[in-house]
Amino acid sequence: MTYTKDTLIGQVLDHDMTTAQFFLEMGMHCLGCPSSRGESLEEACMVHGLQVEELLAKLNAHEAARNVRA
């Protein structure tokens, strides 16, 4: 899976729950909120005043490393 700014938080977490650490590290502590699952990564970053590119880099690097281990 390749994450983009349009990927929904719920899709990310459903694909790999270990990605929650990246949201939490960036100050996004709303993962338990049902409405957050329907937000795109870009929307969530905008609300929190964060750069979506930073989160995407972390998520996609994690996914690449995960695929190498598999």
Side-chain angles (χ1 to χ4, degrees):
M1 176 172 198
T2 299
Y3 301 106
T4 70
K5 63 182 179 143
D6 298 317
T7 305
L8 301 180
I9 291 175
Q11 292 172 313
V12 175
L13 296 173
D14 288 346
H15 178 69
D16 181 1
M17 279 298 292
T18 67
T19 57
Q21 67 182 327
F22 301 111
F23 293 95
L24 297 174
E25 287 171 2
M26 293 183 71
M28 299 170 134
H29 300 280
C30 56
L31 298 179
C33 175
S35 63
S36 72
R37 293 186 55 81
E39 284 186 328
S40 71
L41 297 177
E42 183 175 47
E43 292 168 332
C45 285
M46 236 185 334
V47 167
H48 289 89
L50 303 168
Q51 297 296 316
V52 69
E53 292 81 11
E54 182 181 350
L55 180 58
L56 288 173
K58 290 179 181 189
L59 292 172
N60 285 314
H62 176 75
E63 182 69 10
R66 185 173 173 246
N67 289 333
V68 168
R69 290 189 301 260

